[in-house]
Amino acid sequence: MTSFLLGYSITLGMLLSLSGYLIWMLRHLYRFERWLQNPVLSDAPESRGLWGRIFDRIYLLQKKEKAARKTLHQVIKRAQDSTNTLTDGVVILDEHGLLEWWNRTAAKLLNLRTQDRGLMLTHLLRDPAFKQYFESETYQIPLVLTAHNKPLEFHVTQFGKNERLLLIRDISHLQQLEKVRTDFVANVSHELRTPLTVLKGYVETFLQIDHTLHPTLKRGLAQMQEQTQRMEALITDLLLLSKLESSPPVRTATSIGLTSLLTRVMAEAKAIYPHKEHSFELSVDARIQLLGHEEELHSAFSNMLINAVKYTQTHGHIQLQALVHEQEVWVEVIDNGPGIDPSYTPRLTERFFRGDPNRTQQISGTGLGLAIVKHILIRHEATLEIISRPGQGSCFRCRFPQQSFELLQTASTKYPTALAPQE
Ligand code: ADP
């Protein structure tokens, strides 16, 4: 009996202490769970033993995480504050082109408001040129366009998972400087014209009365005449370039029949260096009507053809042709002249760049011809391609896109017309 009572009280005691332990555990678990719902550091539960150690660990982890969050927040705030002081606009777009974040300048330049976050940028900036640039995913060259009455330069860079960073620059002051420069060049060129005409007139008059002139004087005057002619060509080219730069893009385009235009260009070029005895070939697809400014296009084709005549050695062969190639019209000047060193080709359309100094010392020129051609083509949304190899001749190709021409479909002009080679 006694042993039964002893066994019973031991079991009861064990049961009681087990229940007590269980209640203690559940209470701590409950406190822990309550605290996790709102883990304010100052309210962290405390205890002794195992739970005490667990609470201390979690408390430390929370404290560390809070400090890390604070540092991160400070870093982000500093980055945002510094980008907000930038004079350039910065916009971050996600992989779908949706607006994620922008700085103060971008908000001002593009009229962005807080509620625009998450919208497509191309829906807010509804310029077809921008849409095309943005969707092209080739961003090497920045895009310049007028948005909200300001000339803006847009430059996109990709990062992360096709996310994009858009930099926007207000280039009003650059355009203003450029205008001052072109106005200056135009004014100087214009002012030089009158004194030059007087000088040229006198030199020509003196040279005409050659029987009375001393040979040394005559030689000097002949050189003066050559140099005044050079200066005159330079001034004419500079004035043309300034005019092209300052006039608005060719919008009111007229339809120009290429056959008559290129026939005229060829006739004029042939008359320039008759002693070179080149053979010429003209071939035009008579359906082609270019949409643009006739005198500008005349000047561009003429510059290229005169170059071919000028740089090709005597008895050369010079071709002028216009053809339809896939979706484009190509106007090409091809010669079998000396060709161009590939290292010079990319720079040929720069102002005053004349390529090989040995060659250009003997052949006069201003170095402005191809710059004029490039400008005229840009104004017609066309591009210039130069294909050349030293010793194998050159091909200067003007590529006109679909919107710059139309094709006549009448029976008489439906097929390419090749004009017979003209001698
Ligand atoms: P310019 O002829 O007055 O020097 P351009 O701008 O018209 O200036 O041409 C730039 C340079 O390109 C020329 O100086 C010449 O070196 C080169 N070039 C142009 N056309 C040809 C051509 N058909 N063959 C060889 N070189 C050429």
Side-chain angles (χ1 to χ4, degrees):
M1 185 67 184
T2 327
S3 61
F4 169 74
L5 278 177
L6 190 67
Y8 177 74
S9 38
I10 289 172
T11 315
L12 193 68
M14 275 174 72
L15 262 174
L16 280 174
S17 42
L18 209 65
S19 317
Y21 183 68
L22 212 63
I23 289 167
W24 183 77
M25 285 290 263
L26 282 173
R27 200 171 141 258
H28 279 80
L29 215 58
Y30 173 74
R31 282 174 67 200
F32 186 43
E33 195 272 338
R34 282 282 300 270
W35 182 67
L36 280 183
Q37 276 180 18
N38 181 24
V40 179
L41 279 183
S42 53
D43 291 345
E46 283 177 37
S47 185
R48 287 204 211 118
L50 178 66
W51 276 108
R53 286 200 301 279
I54 291 175
F55 288 157
D56 287 351
R57 286 261 162 81
I58 302 276
Y59 175 81
L60 276 176
L61 281 177
Q62 285 280 355
K63 209 169 154 184
K64 265 195 203 156
E65 199 243 15
K66 198 176 169 195
R69 235 186 303 145
K70 197 172 161 194
T71 317
L72 191 67
H73 190 257
Q74 277 170 349
V75 170
I76 293 174
K77 192 162 177 320
R78 264 178 78 81
Q80 287 187 344
D81 286 351
S82 53
T83 43
N84 268 333
T85 59
L86 287 178
T87 48
D88 287 357
V90 182
V91 179
I92 295 177
L93 300 140
D94 71 8
E95 69 268 38
H96 308 293
L98 303 177
L99 286 161
E100 222 170 68
W101 180 87
W102 54 88
N103 70 349
R104 220 172 278 152
T105 315
K108 219 158 59 189
L109 292 174
L110 301 182
N111 275 350
L112 294 175
R113 296 152 310 156
T114 322
Q115 58 264 43
D116 294 332
R117 182 158 291 127
L119 296 183
M120 281 295 275
L121 178 62
T122 43
H123 289 178
L124 297 171
L125 201 64
R126 288 176 170 274
D127 193 302
F130 179 77
K131 193 168 187 294
Q132 197 188 2
Y133 170 71
F134 191 72
E135 287 168 1
S136 71
E137 301 200 359
T138 45
Y139 305 124
Q140 284 94 337
I141 302 165
L143 170 80
V144 174
L145 53 91
T146 306
H148 304 290
N149 296 326
K150 277 203 172 82
L152 300 179
E153 186 186 81
F154 294 87
H155 200 173
V156 177
T157 35
Q158 282 167 307
F159 69 99
K161 294 186 214 133
N162 200 26
E163 287 139 288
R164 275 164 279 194
L165 180 80
L166 171 66
L167 296 175
I168 311 151
R169 204 149 64 108
D170 181 353
I171 51 164
S172 311
H173 64 292
L174 283 182
Q175 288 205 341
Q176 186 59 30
L177 279 178
E178 183 64 12
K179 190 170 171 343
V180 170
R181 186 190 63 78
T182 43
D183 284 356
F184 174 76
V185 174
N187 289 339
V188 170
S189 314
H190 190 74
E191 291 304 321
L192 282 175
R193 226 179 190 169
T194 319
L196 191 66
T197 313
V198 176
L199 280 177
K200 206 176 137 216
Y202 275 118
V203 171
E204 270 164 19
T205 316
F206 291 149
L207 275 171
Q208 273 162 16
I209 41 174
D210 58 352
H211 52 279
T212 56
L213 287 178
H214 187 275
T216 319
L217 192 58
K218 203 172 148 193
R219 228 183 4 259
L221 280 172
Q223 270 182 18
M224 280 170 78
Q225 188 182 38
E226 206 180 291
Q227 292 307 318
T228 47
Q229 275 165 359
R230 207 173 112 70
M231 277 174 80
E232 196 179 34
L234 207 67
I235 287 173
T236 310
D237 280 357
L238 279 172
L239 280 173
L240 178 58
L241 253 181
S242 326
K243 198 174 131 205
L244 290 171
E245 282 174 337
S246 54
S247 43
V250 183
R251 287 244 161 81
T252 48
T254 35
S255 191
I256 307 150
L258 265 192
T259 311
S260 65
L261 175 63
L262 295 187
T263 309
R264 178 154 68 102
V265 168
M266 182 141 247
E268 288 163 1
K270 279 165 89 175
I272 294 183
Y273 295 99
H275 64 278
K276 285 198 142 187
E277 296 182 45
H278 294 314
S279 62
F280 291 90
E281 190 179 330
L282 174 68
S283 133
V284 187
D285 181 334
R287 294 172 302 165
I288 305 170
Q289 298 280 118
L290 282 187
L291 301 173
H293 191 291
E294 183 159 0
E295 277 321 298
E296 286 185 16
L297 290 171
H298 173 274
S299 172
F301 302 146
S302 188
N303 262 311
M304 295 192 311
L305 195 63
I306 291 172
N307 273 349
V309 174
K310 200 163 75 170
Y311 292 106
T312 303
Q313 62 289 345
T314 49
H315 301 289
H317 183 68
I318 290 158
Q319 262 175 283
L320 175 60
Q321 60 182 33
L323 53 119
V324 180
H325 181 88
E326 292 172 359
Q327 306 292 312
E328 297 180 332
V329 158
W330 288 0
V331 178
E332 298 178 325
V333 174
I334 305 166
D335 64 53
N336 62 350
I340 300 158
D341 190 294
S343 63
Y344 296 133
T345 319
R347 299 193 54 198
L348 289 184
T349 54
E350 281 175 25
R351 278 156 222 230
F352 301 111
F353 185 78
R354 300 205 63 215
D356 185 352
N358 295 332
R359 190 188 305 163
T360 47
Q361 255 168 17
Q362 297 146 19
I363 302 168
S364 73
T366 61
L368 292 171
L370 290 178
I372 291 174
V373 173
K374 186 182 157 194
H375 248 84
I376 293 175
L377 293 185
I378 289 174
R379 285 164 59 72
H380 287 79
E381 295 177 61
T383 48
L384 177 68
E385 198 178 336
I386 304 171
I387 307 142
S388 184
R389 279 222 195 118
Q392 293 184 21
S394 313
C395 169
F396 287 76
R397 177 180 295 148
C398 307
R399 298 175 61 165
F400 291 87
Q402 229 170 1
Q403 64 272 24
S404 311
F405 66 89
E406 49 192 26
L407 295 180
L408 294 179
Q409 293 297 339
T410 55
S412 59
T413 52
K414 200 167 177 187
Y415 300 104
T417 306
L419 302 186
Q422 300 177 8
E423 296 304 324

PDB file of all heavy atoms in Angstrom, residues 243-257:
ATOM      1  N   LYS A 243      23.663  78.388 -94.905  1.00  0.00           N
ATOM      2  CA  LYS A 243      22.251  78.451 -95.314  1.00  0.00           C
ATOM      3  C   LYS A 243      21.569  77.111 -95.031  1.00  0.00           C
ATOM      4  O   LYS A 243      20.458  77.050 -94.504  1.00  0.00           O
ATOM      5  CB  LYS A 243      22.178  78.794 -96.807  1.00  0.00           C
ATOM      6  CG  LYS A 243      20.814  79.306 -97.218  1.00  0.00           C
ATOM      7  CD  LYS A 243      20.815  79.775 -98.642  1.00  0.00           C
ATOM      8  CE  LYS A 243      19.625  79.160 -99.345  1.00  0.00           C
ATOM      9  NZ  LYS A 243      19.792  79.050-100.770  1.00  0.00           N
ATOM     10  N   LEU A 244      22.282  76.026 -95.354  1.00  0.00           N
ATOM     11  CA  LEU A 244      21.698  74.696 -95.128  1.00  0.00           C
ATOM     12  C   LEU A 244      21.475  74.440 -93.645  1.00  0.00           C
ATOM     13  O   LEU A 244      20.489  73.837 -93.235  1.00  0.00           O
ATOM     14  CB  LEU A 244      22.629  73.607 -95.679  1.00  0.00           C
ATOM     15  CG  LEU A 244      22.740  73.518 -97.188  1.00  0.00           C
ATOM     16  CD1 LEU A 244      23.852  72.566 -97.581  1.00  0.00           C
ATOM     17  CD2 LEU A 244      21.423  73.061 -97.794  1.00  0.00           C
ATOM     18  N   GLU A 245      22.431  74.927 -92.829  1.00  0.00           N
ATOM     19  CA  GLU A 245      22.331  74.688 -91.388  1.00  0.00           C
ATOM     20  C   GLU A 245      21.218  75.501 -90.752  1.00  0.00           C
ATOM     21  O   GLU A 245      20.583  75.053 -89.809  1.00  0.00           O
ATOM     22  CB  GLU A 245      23.650  75.055 -90.705  1.00  0.00           C
ATOM     23  CG  GLU A 245      24.710  74.004 -90.873  1.00  0.00           C
ATOM     24  CD  GLU A 245      26.045  74.455 -90.327  1.00  0.00           C
ATOM     25  OE1 GLU A 245      26.289  75.674 -90.218  1.00  0.00           O
ATOM     26  OE2 GLU A 245      26.856  73.587 -90.021  1.00  0.00           O
ATOM     27  N   SER A 246      21.024  76.716 -91.267  1.00  0.00           N
ATOM     28  CA  SER A 246      20.065  77.583 -90.578  1.00  0.00           C
ATOM     29  C   SER A 246      18.649  77.474 -91.126  1.00  0.00           C
ATOM     30  O   SER A 246      17.709  77.904 -90.465  1.00  0.00           O
ATOM     31  CB  SER A 246      20.527  79.035 -90.652  1.00  0.00           C
ATOM     32  OG  SER A 246      20.744  79.377 -91.998  1.00  0.00           O
ATOM     33  N   SER A 247      18.472  76.880 -92.322  1.00  0.00           N
ATOM     34  CA  SER A 247      17.096  76.819 -92.835  1.00  0.00           C
ATOM     35  C   SER A 247      16.379  75.595 -92.279  1.00  0.00           C
ATOM     36  O   SER A 247      17.006  74.578 -91.971  1.00  0.00           O
ATOM     37  CB  SER A 247      17.080  76.835 -94.358  1.00  0.00           C
ATOM     38  OG  SER A 247      18.072  75.992 -94.843  1.00  0.00           O
ATOM     39  N   PRO A 248      15.053  75.694 -92.116  1.00  0.00           N
ATOM     40  CA  PRO A 248      14.292  74.586 -91.536  1.00  0.00           C
ATOM     41  C   PRO A 248      14.336  73.355 -92.436  1.00  0.00           C
ATOM     42  O   PRO A 248      14.644  73.470 -93.626  1.00  0.00           O
ATOM     43  CB  PRO A 248      12.861  75.141 -91.444  1.00  0.00           C
ATOM     44  CG  PRO A 248      12.830  76.279 -92.394  1.00  0.00           C
ATOM     45  CD  PRO A 248      14.209  76.810 -92.507  1.00  0.00           C
ATOM     46  N   PRO A 249      14.040  72.147 -91.884  1.00  0.00           N
ATOM     47  CA  PRO A 249      14.100  70.932 -92.702  1.00  0.00           C
ATOM     48  C   PRO A 249      13.182  71.010 -93.918  1.00  0.00           C
ATOM     49  O   PRO A 249      12.190  71.736 -93.900  1.00  0.00           O
ATOM     50  CB  PRO A 249      13.620  69.829 -91.755  1.00  0.00           C
ATOM     51  CG  PRO A 249      13.368  70.454 -90.454  1.00  0.00           C
ATOM     52  CD  PRO A 249      13.603  71.909 -90.536  1.00  0.00           C
ATOM     53  N   VAL A 250      13.559  70.255 -94.962  1.00  0.00           N
ATOM     54  CA  VAL A 250      12.778  70.279 -96.208  1.00  0.00           C
ATOM     55  C   VAL A 250      11.424  69.614 -95.939  1.00  0.00           C
ATOM     56  O   VAL A 250      11.337  68.402 -95.830  1.00  0.00           O
ATOM     57  CB  VAL A 250      13.508  69.500 -97.321  1.00  0.00           C
ATOM     58  CG1 VAL A 250      12.751  69.566 -98.631  1.00  0.00           C
ATOM     59  CG2 VAL A 250      14.899  70.035 -97.489  1.00  0.00           C
ATOM     60  N   ARG A 251      10.386  70.453 -95.775  1.00  0.00           N
ATOM     61  CA  ARG A 251       9.064  69.862 -95.498  1.00  0.00           C
ATOM     62  C   ARG A 251       8.182  69.920 -96.741  1.00  0.00           C
ATOM     63  O   ARG A 251       7.551  68.956 -97.119  1.00  0.00           O
ATOM     64  CB  ARG A 251       8.389  70.612 -94.338  1.00  0.00           C
ATOM     65  CG  ARG A 251       9.034  70.299 -93.004  1.00  0.00           C
ATOM     66  CD  ARG A 251       8.039  69.584 -92.069  1.00  0.00           C
ATOM     67  NE  ARG A 251       8.721  68.888 -90.994  1.00  0.00           N
ATOM     68  CZ  ARG A 251       9.160  69.460 -89.876  1.00  0.00           C
ATOM     69  NH1 ARG A 251       8.956  70.732 -89.685  1.00  0.00           N
ATOM     70  NH2 ARG A 251       9.775  68.749 -88.959  1.00  0.00           N
ATOM     71  N   THR A 252       8.199  71.137 -97.379  1.00  0.00           N
ATOM     72  CA  THR A 252       7.348  71.298 -98.556  1.00  0.00           C
ATOM     73  C   THR A 252       8.116  70.771 -99.774  1.00  0.00           C
ATOM     74  O   THR A 252       8.705  71.526-100.525  1.00  0.00           O
ATOM     75  CB  THR A 252       6.983  72.774 -98.759  1.00  0.00           C
ATOM     76  OG1 THR A 252       8.206  73.498 -98.644  1.00  0.00           O
ATOM     77  CG2 THR A 252       5.979  73.256 -97.743  1.00  0.00           C
ATOM     78  N   ALA A 253       8.142  69.450 -99.885  1.00  0.00           N
ATOM     79  CA  ALA A 253       8.939  68.841-100.939  1.00  0.00           C
ATOM     80  C   ALA A 253       8.214  68.869-102.277  1.00  0.00           C
ATOM     81  O   ALA A 253       7.002  68.679-102.331  1.00  0.00           O
ATOM     82  CB  ALA A 253       9.239  67.411-100.546  1.00  0.00           C
ATOM     83  N   THR A 254       8.982  69.134-103.339  1.00  0.00           N
ATOM     84  CA  THR A 254       8.390  69.025-104.674  1.00  0.00           C
ATOM     85  C   THR A 254       8.877  67.718-105.295  1.00  0.00           C
ATOM     86  O   THR A 254       9.917  67.179-104.923  1.00  0.00           O
ATOM     87  CB  THR A 254       8.821  70.195-105.584  1.00  0.00           C
ATOM     88  OG1 THR A 254      10.149  70.546-105.254  1.00  0.00           O
ATOM     89  CG2 THR A 254       7.909  71.388-105.456  1.00  0.00           C
ATOM     90  N   SER A 255       8.095  67.264-106.263  1.00  0.00           N
ATOM     91  CA  SER A 255       8.434  66.013-106.927  1.00  0.00           C
ATOM     92  C   SER A 255       9.394  66.319-108.080  1.00  0.00           C
ATOM     93  O   SER A 255       9.080  67.104-108.968  1.00  0.00           O
ATOM     94  CB  SER A 255       7.123  65.411-107.427  1.00  0.00           C
ATOM     95  OG  SER A 255       7.338  64.130-107.850  1.00  0.00           O
ATOM     96  N   ILE A 256      10.565  65.708-108.040  1.00  0.00           N
ATOM     97  CA  ILE A 256      11.603  66.051-109.026  1.00  0.00           C
ATOM     98  C   ILE A 256      11.917  64.844-109.906  1.00  0.00           C
ATOM     99  O   ILE A 256      12.326  63.790-109.395  1.00  0.00           O
ATOM    100  CB  ILE A 256      12.900  66.487-108.301  1.00  0.00           C
ATOM    101  CG1 ILE A 256      12.589  67.608-107.303  1.00  0.00           C
ATOM    102  CG2 ILE A 256      13.979  66.904-109.264  1.00  0.00           C
ATOM    103  CD1 ILE A 256      13.508  67.615-106.119  1.00  0.00           C
ATOM    104  N   GLY A 257      11.756  65.026-111.206  1.00  0.00           N
ATOM    105  CA  GLY A 257      12.098  63.952-112.144  1.00  0.00           C
ATOM    106  C   GLY A 257      13.615  63.820-112.201  1.00  0.00           C
ATOM    107  O   GLY A 257      14.312  64.792-112.478  1.00  0.00           O
TER     108      GLY A 257
END
